Amino acid sequence: MGTYFTSAGFSSCEIGGFVASALLHDLRVNNFTFTNFPEVDVSWDEKHFHITLKVHGVSSSTFSFNYETVKSEVKRFQDKKDVSAQVFGVIQKHAAELEGAVKRN
């Protein structure tokens, strides 16, 4: 069950949604070397949302976005738009890192 951030107008599931949509785009363009689709783990503190990708018991390093970036990306997700190029680059980098970690495991 997701957490709803009333003041921001979105849920933690929608954060996972925009990350997953970026991963789907990456999968279509580059494919993944691991089987299964990565789990998107979202946590937060007072200033940032922290995201970790996981597959086969292996995790990427955690990456973070501030509230304004997340709010903007969730809005894009709600409007059925792709994530911004800058955010996509961060997510793609961590997906590639996860692939390397799975290969080494």
Side-chain angles (χ1 to χ4, degrees):
M1 176 190 233
T3 298
Y4 191 77
F5 302 94
T6 305
S7 63
F10 59 80
S11 73
S12 59
C13 290
E14 290 170 303
I15 299 166
F18 83 71
V19 174
S21 70
L23 289 168
L24 282 170
H25 177 75
D26 192 29
L27 173 64
R28 285 184 192 109
V29 173
N30 300 310
N31 213 341
F32 294 139
T33 58
F34 45 75
T35 58
N36 297 333
F37 193 80
E39 174 187 346
V40 178
D41 182 62
V42 179
S43 61
W44 53 90
D45 59 34
E46 63 279 349
K47 295 187 183 200
H48 293 90
F49 288 92
H50 310 288
I51 300 159
T52 307
L53 306 177
K54 301 176 181 180
V55 69
H56 301 298
V58 178
S59 299
S60 70
S61 60
T62 299
F63 53 102
S64 302
F65 296 118
N66 64 34
Y67 270 69
E68 286 308 309
T69 298
V70 167
K71 188 173 184 176
S72 172
E73 294 301 325
V74 167
K75 175 79 169 105
R76 293 176 70 89
F77 178 73
Q78 291 168 336
D79 292 343
K80 297 177 176 49
K81 295 179 181 174
D82 291 337
V83 298
S84 66
Q86 181 179 359
V87 167
F88 178 76
V90 172
I91 295 168
Q92 185 181 42
K93 174 182 170 244
H94 285 83
E97 175 191 305
L98 182 60
E99 284 183 310
V102 168
K103 284 179 185 176
R104 288 187 301 276
N105 194 11

